[in-house]
Amino acid sequence: MSLLAALIRNLLIAASVAWVATSLPASAAEPSQANPRQAWQMLDYIAVDYAGAIQHGRVVVPGEYAEMQEFANTVRTQLAALPAAPKQPALVAQADRLVAAVAAKAEPAQVAMLARGLADDVLASYPIGAVPAAPPEPARAAALYAQQCAVCHGPTGHGDGPAAAGLDPPPIAFTDAARAAQRTPFALYEVISQGVPGTGMASFAALPEDDRWALAFYVGSLAYSPQARTDGEALWRKDAELRGRIPTLEALTRTSEVGLAASVDAEQASAIIAYLRSRPQAVNESVADNPGPFALARQRLADSQRAYATGDAAQARSFALSAYLDGVEPVEPTLATRDAALMRDIETAMARFRTQIGQGTAPAEVSAQAVQITELFDRAETALQDTYTDTTTAFLGSFTILVREGLEALLIVIGMIAFLRKAERREVLPYVHAGWIGALLAGGITWMVATYLVGISGANREVTEGVSALFAAVVLLSVGIWMHQKSLAGRWQQYLHAKMSAALTRRSAIFLFLLAFVAVYREVFETILFYIAMWSEQASSAIIAGLVAGSVVLAAVAYWMLRMSKRLPIGRFFSISSILIAVLAVILVGKGVAALQEAGWVSQVLVTAPRIEWLGVYPSWQSLLAQLTVAIAAAIGFFVNTRTSRALAREAKS
């Protein structure tokens, strides 16, 4: 019976290997000589298995030690054959040190450190990009394990399946706690997907990706007891700091118990890993149930990195835009009141991240930029700690938002009203008043839609702001040049006395209505969405107080501007107004281009320049060149007006 059992066992192994091999394309069945995925996998094996071959500088398992030497040398060969990358020479040098350490029978801790360090650097320089599309379902993999894995690894993962005795090296015991503590789900997924050369572990790449991830989490959970999982669930639910250690599904796939134990208590690390291996969807649930100010931004940033690593630059850019527009910008007013410099650093860092994606920068550099952004998020969350219930911060945030957003619209509307009064065309004023009042009503409708019906995405918000700002800038530029013309050599008198009846027709009145509406709605739109984002019941009184105080300040500014305009002679009024309107056009075009850049409609190339938001100055070539173009257009218009006026004056004298 023993001979028959051995024969059946060997047939099962041969059939399994043959089925996998024939189901794979040639490129999968025969590993490439330059394969970063396989190099990473072998490094993971060295880090885990070397301790079973060497103890105190002596070989205890010759076959295992020979395999470690082979793997180390193969890693070195594969890294040398990889496509050129900035850090490839350093990777090869690290591989040389690993080969030397294995040859010298160095201590397991040293070899493990070298192997893991090199594995991390390989992943950074040549991203594999394997991340589950959705949280795996380990329980669903139990039947799959029984079909595909139990014959070698045993029904409960002890490495005692019916085919195990005929394998050299023997199959892994998934219940080995020391070994399980060192493996990540990502490492297990790679073994399942790629197999292990020189062993009985064949590739199961023919299985659907979701099944391979489910199997990885399932076998990774076999070393942990039900009690450990229960303890881990309790810890995970009550300890926000522990949840912060594994913020995303991607982080979970790359986290081992040993790695987590480096930053938390070892028993807690074991319990947390036990729970999350059996229920990986808990990571996403924790983000939804315990949102921090930058939870969405972190998730979108991770999504962007993952998409870029897999070669999908368009999707990566979309996620990167969402990370800022939907994850950061709603928090911006509150953070700006607490640490404006930090807010600017986040905006600049995220703009650079988007630029790197657009330029096809090496994945390692993109990842490094993402790490920098994450560190900025950490600092921002610390700065924002308890600020949502801080009445002073809520008041200042509310006040600043209204004054900042309202001042630009106020300048345009008051300028129009003052002009019409100076021109003695009060019958057109109702059109201007209808414009800004209609904008306020439209803002109220926007608030109801954004609060109760549908969410308004950050991209849509930026497009609305950008297009309206550019429209207003073009109109103001033409109005500014026109007003400058009327201010020269008494031409305003000719305008008032000879052409007033034709100048402000019904079409012009409707145009003034549109300008007032667009100028005010652009600011109301952004202001309302900011207030929705920062609203909280605890700070509601302070937010309302800031709103009232901001309204009082804007009303005082409007009153002062109207009184000042009455005192100015009409020629001086036209001259000063033309300059102010031209400056406002320059400001608005900078803000409009920046908004469209944030929405992904306009490309962005960063330059070393200051960021002065109230002047519309942003550190990108596109926005700066747009502002320069408008400034030059205004200067040319003013210059032509001046020359024409002088020429007419000379003709009149002659």
Side-chain angles (χ1 to χ4, degrees):
M1 290 296 293
S2 59
L3 181 60
L4 179 60
L7 179 60
I8 293 173
R9 184 171 60 232
N10 291 334
L11 285 173
L12 285 170
I13 296 170
S16 175
V17 174
W19 174 77
V20 173
T22 55
S23 64
L24 294 174
S27 59
E30 298 176 7
S32 167
Q33 291 302 307
N35 187 341
R37 183 179 295 245
Q38 193 176 78
W40 183 92
Q41 179 188 335
M42 286 188 286
L43 287 166
D44 183 73
Y45 256 74
I46 292 171
V48 175
D49 287 1
Y50 180 83
I54 297 292
Q55 292 181 8
H56 306 297
R58 294 192 308 165
V59 177
V60 293
V61 181
E64 189 79 14
Y65 177 63
E67 186 178 60
M68 295 297 101
Q69 289 180 300
E70 178 189 356
F71 280 7
N73 283 290
T74 302
V75 166
R76 201 275 179 205
T77 300
Q78 290 199 351
L79 293 181
L82 286 171
K87 294 186 178 180
Q88 187 191 23
L91 296 178
V92 174
Q94 286 177 265
D96 287 335
R97 290 194 290 273
L98 177 63
V99 169
V102 172
K105 305 179 183 63
E107 287 300 306
Q110 178 187 352
V111 171
M113 181 181 68
L114 290 171
R116 288 200 174 95
L118 179 53
D120 290 342
D121 290 344
V122 167
L123 202 60
S125 299
Y126 299 92
I128 295 170
V131 178
E137 300 179 25
R140 187 170 67 86
L144 191 59
Y145 176 86
Q147 290 176 340
Q148 304 289 350
C149 312
V151 65
C152 296
H153 295 281
T156 57
H158 283 80
D160 56 355
L167 297 178
D168 184 19
I172 298 302
F174 294 125
T175 53
D176 182 341
R179 184 183 183 84
Q182 301 182 65
R183 307 308 300 273
T184 65
F186 177 66
L188 294 167
Y189 170 84
E190 285 299 299
V191 171
I192 293 168
S193 300
Q194 305 296 317
V196 183
T199 74
M201 181 61 200
S203 166
F204 284 85
L207 290 175
E209 183 178 1
D210 290 348
D211 286 346
R212 282 178 275 145
W213 276 114
L215 268 176
F217 275 85
Y218 178 78
V219 300
S221 69
L222 293 177
Y224 299 96
S225 67
Q227 184 59 50
R229 289 192 284 273
T230 300
D231 294 344
E233 180 176 7
L235 283 169
W236 184 256
R237 291 187 181 281
K238 76 177 183 180
D239 196 326
E241 183 178 353
L242 282 174
R243 293 194 299 270
R245 302 287 181 180
I246 310 176
T248 64
L249 183 59
E250 181 177 9
L252 176 59
T253 64
R254 312 293 170 94
T255 301
S256 67
E257 179 187 328
V258 169
L260 184 59
S263 57
V264 304
D265 178 78
E267 290 186 6
Q268 289 184 330
S270 178
I272 289 294
I273 292 298
Y275 172 58
L276 294 181
R277 293 278 175 87
S278 64
R279 186 175 169 76
Q281 59 266 41
V283 172
N284 285 352
E285 290 171 357
S286 71
V287 171
D289 296 340
N290 304 278
F294 291 89
L296 180 59
R298 292 178 187 275
Q299 185 66 54
R300 292 289 187 269
L301 187 65
D303 292 339
S304 179
Q305 284 183 269
R306 181 168 66 250
Y308 192 70
T310 59
D312 191 347
Q315 188 64 46
R317 180 171 174 77
S318 176
F319 280 130
L321 285 168
S322 178
Y324 175 71
L325 296 173
D326 301 315
V328 173
E329 199 172 41
V331 189
E332 180 180 323
T334 308
L335 179 59
T337 61
R338 184 56 60 97
D339 193 333
L342 177 57
M343 186 65 248
R344 288 193 296 271
D345 288 344
I346 291 175
E347 291 174 342
T348 302
M350 297 194 76
R352 185 172 292 112
F353 180 79
R354 296 193 299 271
T355 300
Q356 288 177 334
I357 290 174
Q359 294 176 343
T361 306
E365 294 183 39
V366 174
S367 296
Q369 183 66 19
V371 170
Q372 179 186 346
I373 293 170
T374 301
E375 291 172 353
L376 291 172
F377 287 167
D378 292 340
R379 288 172 52 196
E381 285 180 332
T382 300
L384 288 172
Q385 215 166 28
D386 299 328
T387 59
Y388 288 103
T389 56
D390 185 331
T391 55
T392 302
T393 301
F395 173 84
L396 290 176
S398 175
F399 176 82
T400 303
I401 289 170
L402 188 63
V403 173
R404 184 186 70 185
E405 303 299 331
L407 196 57
E408 287 177 12
L410 189 67
L411 288 172
I412 296 173
V413 173
I414 294 300
M416 294 166 65
I417 293 173
F419 160 70
L420 292 172
R421 286 180 173 177
K422 284 285 186 182
E424 299 181 0
R425 294 304 304 267
R426 294 177 180 270
E427 74 274 12
V428 186
L429 282 174
Y431 288 88
V432 177
H433 292 310
W436 68 263
I437 292 172
L440 293 178
L441 294 175
I445 295 172
T446 301
W447 171 75
M448 288 188 291
V449 169
T451 304
Y452 300 108
L453 298 179
V454 297
I456 298 177
S457 72
N460 289 336
R461 178 176 67 244
E462 296 299 332
V463 169
T464 301
E465 293 173 10
V467 171
S468 58
L470 293 180
F471 169 79
V474 171
V475 173
L476 290 174
L477 177 63
S478 61
V479 170
I481 294 174
W482 175 83
M483 292 187 75
H484 179 263
Q485 181 191 46
K486 303 307 174 188
S487 70
L488 296 173
R491 297 188 72 189
W492 57 271
Q493 293 176 338
Q494 179 186 8
Y495 168 75
L496 289 178
H497 296 133
K499 297 185 178 180
M500 178 61 75
S501 59
L504 287 177
T505 62
R506 182 176 179 83
R507 181 189 303 173
S508 299
I510 293 175
F511 184 76
L512 291 176
F513 164 81
L514 288 175
L515 179 59
F517 179 89
V518 170
V520 174
Y521 180 72
R522 174 186 176 273
E523 307 301 339
V524 171
F525 180 78
E526 184 172 15
T527 302
I528 285 175
L529 295 181
F530 274 141
Y531 273 103
I532 290 173
M534 73 180 297
W535 183 262
S536 71
E537 292 297 329
Q538 298 90 337
S540 58
S541 298
I543 293 172
I544 293 173
L547 177 66
V548 172
S551 300
V552 170
V553 169
L554 290 177
V557 171
Y559 177 76
W560 175 80
M561 289 177 65
L562 288 172
R563 284 186 61 84
M564 287 294 296
S565 68
K566 286 182 179 179
R567 296 177 182 177
L568 286 174
I570 191 167
R572 178 71 61 83
F573 170 79
F574 270 47
S575 179
I576 294 175
S577 296
S578 65
I579 295 173
L580 290 176
I581 286 175
V583 170
L584 191 56
V586 173
I587 294 172
L588 285 176
V589 78
K591 291 190 172 185
V593 171
L596 293 180
Q597 285 177 324
E598 291 178 353
W601 280 37
V602 176
S603 60
Q604 186 176 44
V605 179
L606 297 177
V607 296
T608 303
R611 182 187 182 99
I612 311 173
E613 290 192 29
W614 64 278
L615 289 178
V617 176
Y618 298 88
S620 79
W621 278 118
Q622 290 83 352
S623 62
L624 292 175
L625 287 176
Q627 288 188 301
L628 181 62
T629 300
V630 172
I632 291 173
I636 291 174
F638 287 5
F639 176 74
V640 170
N641 288 340
T642 302
R643 287 195 60 181
T644 303
S645 177
R646 289 175 179 174
L648 290 173
R650 285 195 299 269
E651 290 177 5
K653 289 180 180 180
S654 62

